[in-house]
């Protein structure tokens, strides 16, 4: 939920760190800071705002020194303030740290440290790491002993990098990502390869419960038991370097417009894994599918599609709910986990539980280097390239295509899906956004919007509501069309907008009836359909398509609507307030 980075090498650290933080801003962007070591002194600058804003105010990138650490924050403990921003220095100022994750026992540790005379400036849980390190380093003068004692004390999920006044760096990983980039006489530590990919593609994915000490031209990786740990240097794909907006004003827009290509590339490099998944599904006692947020909405589509086209029953599990539904996972079943980042803590928790229940675990995941990919038995790579905009767009349609590919194979190609045609439909929708821009202006000042869908369009209605909430901050709710009369009709009046997802399939006439019921109550109707109707105040034309393709094509105009409404409201579509792209806390 935050990003951490460290640099140790031959170049000035600060500009490299600032660039890396900018790339990882998707992980959190409420405040930012950098600390460097120069002449055995630690210099530190930090402030609230995004990387470029803060950098232009207080020039993070001119800090001197060849060693440094940096951080972008997504607040969990303590408000968004300059003081709560990272790095945090220890009381002596001789140690600075950056931290991602949560220290569960920080209150107890803070109390103990206060009793020993330590002061705390911030409200964060992270500051205790800096002071614990100071305490143990003053006692032992040994970095290895210091880190071992520190990790033995703290409980929770974390990755941190500590910088010592003598220019050494140490970093530890426990259930939060930490990657070492191994360059020519330089090392990087980072939450994501994006933090350093333009400098080196040689990386070490640190194992959970390991720490590293960097010193001049060497590094040492050890376990929390103090023993040398095994590691492997692997090459990562440079395609993740391709995280630029190009000619687009925002990543979100670029990613929406990439979808005609990403639906063609979906799962392309892991067809064998799709085949294996199909075999597992055929033999499974129970099939569970899990995810969070948008990926959970893809789970809901998967459930409906599997049942409709293959008569296979699958049970959806909202990842964050798993702890409240004990005994929900029967032994020897299969668990399919869908996640763009592969780092959502809730999803990883479900996979852990599934493994304990001896289930086969299958990941549909974009980041093949993620924890989810590494922990699953079968990995289907989404292959949609980096998704930087915090709101998921192309990853959602990619997930749907992979689900379709599984269904197609399960049915021995009886369910015939023309992916090239789906790609063309998307291009057609994206060709002319003028009408959607106009509607975006109409909705920008409203406070409530409802999205109605029936059957397989209901999960799309929920996904549409999520996009509108995230990007426009308008209250949005997805409702199954038939449920209108059971309550939501009471909300309909002339202040309300309702989006009707109404393609020409078996749900069409029932949805039109719902639209009529809404219309007579004065609400404004945006119809998303391939058939025009005078019931709609605004008609967004969907190109005609096969029934199975509608869920993919109908979400595209709503993604665009959310994007343009965000622009009309002057909010930042790439970085919606209070959110982060990779939710690594539970
Ligand atoms: C919505 C969004 C989030 C994510 C959710 C799961 O636009 O981005 O709801 O879908 O946090 O993330 P992943 O798929 O990375 O597990």
């Amino acid at each position: 939920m935050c990003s951490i980075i460290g640099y140790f090498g031959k170049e000035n650290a600060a500009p490299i760190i600032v660039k890396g933080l900018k790339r990882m801003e998707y992980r959190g962007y409420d405040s930012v800071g950098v600390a460097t070591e120069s002449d055995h002194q630690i210099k530190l600058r930090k402030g609230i705002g995004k990387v470029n804003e803060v950098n232009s105010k207080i020039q993070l990138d001119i800090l001197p020194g060849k060693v440094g650490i940096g951080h972008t924050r997504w607040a969990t403990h303590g408000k968004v303030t300059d003081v709560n921003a990272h790095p945090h220095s220890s009381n002596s100022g001789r140690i600075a740290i950056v931290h991602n994750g949560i220290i569960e026992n920080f209150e107890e540790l803070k109390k103990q440290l206060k009793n020993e005379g330590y002061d705390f400036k911030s409200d964060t849980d992270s500051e205790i790491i800096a002071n614990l390190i100071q305490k143990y380093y003053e006692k032992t003068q040994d970095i290895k002993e210091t880190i071992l004692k520190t990790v033995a004390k703290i409980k929770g999920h974390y990755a941190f990098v500590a910088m010592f006044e003598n220019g050494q760096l140490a970093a530890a990983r426990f259930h939060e990502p930490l990657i070492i980039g191994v360059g020519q006489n330089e090392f990087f530590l980072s939450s994501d390869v994006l933090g350093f990919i333009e400098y080196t593609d040689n990386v070490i994915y640190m194992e959970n419960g390991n720490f590293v000490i960097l010193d001049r031209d060497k590094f040492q990786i050890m376990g929390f038991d103090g023993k040398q740990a095994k590691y492997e240097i692997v090459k990562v794909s440079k395609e993740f370097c391709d995280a630029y907006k190009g000619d687009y004003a925002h990543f979100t827009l670029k990613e929406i417009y990439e979808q005609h290509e990403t639906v063609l590339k979906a799962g392309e490099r892991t067809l064998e894994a799709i085949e294996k998944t199909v075999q597992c599904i055929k033999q499974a006692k129970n099939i569970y599918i899990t995810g969070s947020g948008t990926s959970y909405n893809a789970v809901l589509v998967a459930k409906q599609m599997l049942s409709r086209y293959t008569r296979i029953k699958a049970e959806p599990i909202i990842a964050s709910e798993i702890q409240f539904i004990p005994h929900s996972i029967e032994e020897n079943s299969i668990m399919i986990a869908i996640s763009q980042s592969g780092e959502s803590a809730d999803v990883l928790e479900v996979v852990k539980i599934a493994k304990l229940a001896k289930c086969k675990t299958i990941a549909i995941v974009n980041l093949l280097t993620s924890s989810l990919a590494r922990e699953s038995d079968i990995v289907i790579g989404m292959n949609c390239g980096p998704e930087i905009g915090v709101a998921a767009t192309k990853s959602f349609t990619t997930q749907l295509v992979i689900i379709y590919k599984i269904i197609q194979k399960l049915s021995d190609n009886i369910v015939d899906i023309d992916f090239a045609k789906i790609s063309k439909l998307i291009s057609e929708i994206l060709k002319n956004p003028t009408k959607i821009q106009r509607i975006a202006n109409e909705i920008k000042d409203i406070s409530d919007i409802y999205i109605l869908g029936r059957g397989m369009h209901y999960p799309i209605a929920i996904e549409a509501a999520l996009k509108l909430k995230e990007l426009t901050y308008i209250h949005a709710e997805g409702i199954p069309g038939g449920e209108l009369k059971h309550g939501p009709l009471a909300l309909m009046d002339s202040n309300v907008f309702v989006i009707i997802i109404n393609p020409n399939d078996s749900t069409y006439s029932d949805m039109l009836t719902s639209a009529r019921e809404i219309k007579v109550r004065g609400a404004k109707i945006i119809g998303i359909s391939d058939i025009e109707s005078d019931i709609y105040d605004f008609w967004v034309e969907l190109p005609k398509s096969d029934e199975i393709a509608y869920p993919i094509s109908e979400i595209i105009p709503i993604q665009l609507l959310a994007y343009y409404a965000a622009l009309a409201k002057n909010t930042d579509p790439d970085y919606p307030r209070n959110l982060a792209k990779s939710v690594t806390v539970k």
Side-chain angles (χ1 to χ4, degrees):
M1 301 298 299
C2 301
S3 68
I4 59 175
I5 188 164
Y7 175 79
F8 188 111
K10 52 191 190 295
E11 306 294 338
N12 281 340
I16 293 174
I17 288 172
V18 169
K19 220 189 236 178
L21 290 175
K22 182 77 204 114
R23 288 257 183 95
M24 294 196 290
E25 209 166 28
Y26 71 88
R27 299 179 61 87
Y29 38 84
D30 55 42
S31 46
V32 55
V34 173
T36 55
E37 177 275 332
S38 167
D39 293 333
H40 295 302
Q41 269 192 358
I42 289 177
K43 319 253 183 225
L44 193 155
R45 289 184 187 178
K46 57 187 185 176
I48 60 174
K50 302 213 180 88
V51 177
N52 283 347
E53 283 160 32
V54 177
N55 194 38
S56 60
K57 259 191 248 156
I58 57 172
Q59 282 83 47
L60 302 165
D61 58 358
I62 62 162
L63 285 172
K66 315 274 184 210
V67 182
I69 57 177
H71 187 271
T72 59
R73 180 165 187 248
W74 183 79
T76 55
H77 292 65
K79 290 190 178 144
V80 180
T81 61
D82 290 347
V83 173
N84 287 335
H86 296 221
H88 292 285
S89 51
S90 71
N91 275 192
S92 65
R94 293 177 167 173
I95 288 147
I97 65 102
V98 285
H99 161 229
N100 168 34
I102 286 177
I103 306 300
E104 283 161 10
N105 59 340
F106 86 101
E107 274 170 335
E108 176 195 327
L109 293 171
K110 196 167 179 176
K111 213 157 143 199
Q112 284 169 16
L113 286 165
K114 274 187 171 173
N115 287 339
E116 294 170 29
Y118 285 87
D119 287 335
F120 286 85
K121 297 187 204 87
S122 76
D123 304 316
T124 64
D125 52 343
S126 314
E127 199 182 351
I128 62 119
I129 302 175
N131 284 327
L132 273 180
I133 291 179
Q134 176 183 325
K135 171 176 155 175
Y136 295 128
Y137 191 63
E138 281 173 357
K139 270 197 195 142
T140 63
Q141 293 298 307
D142 182 287
I143 294 185
K144 176 180 169 188
E145 283 309 307
T146 299
I147 301 298
L148 284 174
K149 284 187 191 303
T150 304
V151 297
K153 272 277 173 196
I154 56 181
K155 293 198 179 100
H157 285 196
Y158 55 83
F160 66 79
V161 186
M163 182 170 67
F164 294 75
E165 183 187 60
N166 65 3
Q168 278 186 288
L169 291 182
R173 167 173 191 224
F174 195 63
H175 293 292
E176 292 292 346
L178 186 62
I179 300 160
I180 306 174
V182 184
Q184 289 281 338
N185 303 321
E186 60 184 354
F187 297 104
F188 305 82
L189 295 159
S190 180
S191 305
D192 188 324
V193 288
L194 278 179
F196 58 77
I197 187 73
E198 66 193 281
Y199 304 100
T200 180
D201 54 359
N202 291 319
V203 310
I204 299 169
Y205 290 97
M206 280 191 48
E207 292 297 330
N208 224 9
N210 278 357
F211 69 100
V212 60
I213 299 175
L214 297 182
D215 186 10
R216 306 293 142 209
D217 54 353
K218 60 181 194 300
F219 64 89
Q220 221 189 334
I221 301 179
M222 288 160 281
F224 287 180
D225 57 3
K227 293 189 186 137
Q228 291 292 333
K230 286 200 183 115
Y231 65 86
E232 196 188 349
I233 300 182
V234 293
K235 283 229 177 275
V236 286
S237 164
K238 284 254 184 190
E239 71 172 358
F240 274 82
C241 198
D242 182 29
Y244 292 103
K245 282 186 278 212
D247 292 335
Y248 290 93
H250 294 97
F251 283 113
T252 305
L253 188 64
K254 174 175 177 255
E255 287 154 12
I256 292 172
Y257 271 83
E258 278 170 356
Q259 291 176 102
H260 67 102
E261 284 167 9
T262 48
V263 293
L264 293 176
K265 290 185 190 157
E268 183 178 71
R269 297 185 191 165
T270 43
L271 294 177
E272 204 183 309
I274 293 180
E275 185 58 55
K276 279 192 200 155
T277 302
V278 167
Q279 295 315 321
C280 287
I281 291 177
K282 282 184 178 162
Q283 288 152 20
K285 191 164 113 196
N286 298 290
I287 301 157
Y288 305 107
I289 322 185
T290 193
S292 298
T294 288
S295 297
Y296 179 71
N297 296 335
V299 168
L300 292 177
V301 176
K303 181 204 154 59
Q304 288 225 16
M305 293 280 187
L306 278 168
S307 151
R308 184 179 181 88
Y309 292 103
T310 65
R311 298 184 173 223
I312 290 173
K313 255 172 81 178
E315 200 178 313
I317 295 178
I318 300 176
S320 60
E321 286 290 304
I322 191 73
Q323 57 189 311
F324 307 111
I325 39 172
H327 319 300
S328 51
I329 299 178
E330 281 187 40
E331 290 209 339
N332 302 319
S333 305
I334 66 167
M335 174 64 72
I336 304 176
I338 305 184
S339 171
Q340 187 282 131
S341 63
E343 298 294 350
S344 293
D346 292 325
V347 176
L348 293 173
E349 182 66 17
V350 179
V351 169
K352 194 166 108 196
I353 294 171
K355 283 173 111 170
L356 288 174
K358 301 189 187 73
C359 293
K360 190 135 196 141
T361 53
I362 298 166
I364 299 178
V365 61
N366 199 27
L367 284 175
L368 295 179
T369 50
S370 61
S371 308
L372 179 64
R374 278 177 290 135
E375 279 164 31
S376 302
D377 298 316
I378 299 175
V379 179
I380 301 175
M382 287 164 49
N383 197 33
C384 67
E387 188 179 67
I388 305 295
V390 166
T393 51
K394 63 175 176 173
S395 63
F396 179 66
T397 46
T398 303
Q399 289 163 350
L400 298 196
V401 170
I402 289 172
I403 292 159
Y404 287 6
K405 287 194 169 169
I406 293 172
I407 287 169
Q408 195 172 20
K409 282 210 175 295
L410 275 168
S411 73
D412 287 328
N413 292 322
I414 293 170
V415 180
D416 184 22
I417 306 165
D418 185 342
F419 294 105
K421 199 160 148 196
I422 295 182
S423 165
K424 279 204 193 112
L425 291 174
I426 296 175
S427 299
E428 215 175 312
I429 296 167
L430 292 171
K431 214 162 49 193
N432 187 0
T434 322
K435 194 162 189 185
I436 293 173
Q437 285 163 336
R438 228 178 296 135
I439 303 172
N441 264 315
E442 296 282 337
I443 66 165
K444 75 177 191 326
D445 297 319
I446 61 168
S447 51
D448 303 285
I449 189 160
Y450 301 94
I451 305 97
L452 264 59
R454 292 182 92 120
M456 61 175 146
H457 312 295
Y458 172 51
I460 302 301
I462 304 177
E463 171 57 13
L466 185 57
K467 285 300 83 90
L468 285 156
K469 273 180 224 169
E470 286 174 300
L471 295 188
T472 68
Y473 315 153
I474 295 170
H475 164 242
E477 210 177 310
I479 300 171
E483 284 300 291
L484 202 60
K485 55 189 177 297
H486 296 294
L489 210 49
L491 299 166
M492 300 302 148
D493 62 25
S494 56
N495 300 316
V496 162
F497 269 75
V498 182
I499 298 176
I500 306 276
I501 301 180
N502 201 16
N504 185 17
D505 65 7
S506 57
T507 65
Y508 179 77
S509 51
D510 284 341
M511 279 306 296
L512 213 56
T513 306
S514 304
R516 278 197 193 95
E517 288 166 8
I518 292 163
K519 180 92 175 171
V520 294
R521 267 103 192 160
K524 304 248 174 0
I525 296 181
I526 304 167
I528 303 208
S529 180
D530 33 8
I531 305 178
E532 192 170 9
S533 163
D534 53 13
I535 294 176
Y536 307 141
D537 296 279
F538 305 92
W539 175 45
V540 176
E541 185 176 359
L542 267 188
K544 296 222 174 307
S545 82
D546 303 330
E547 183 188 59
I548 199 162
Y550 281 129
I552 294 184
S553 61
E554 66 207 18
I555 192 60
I556 310 278
I558 305 177
Q559 292 172 344
L560 275 180
L561 181 64
Y563 171 79
Y564 285 116
L567 293 193
K569 294 189 73 154
N570 217 8
T571 63
D572 185 341
D574 281 348
Y575 300 107
R577 68 183 178 201
N578 306 338
L579 300 179
K581 181 92 185 141
S582 193
V583 186
T584 61
V585 290
K586 281 208 275 173

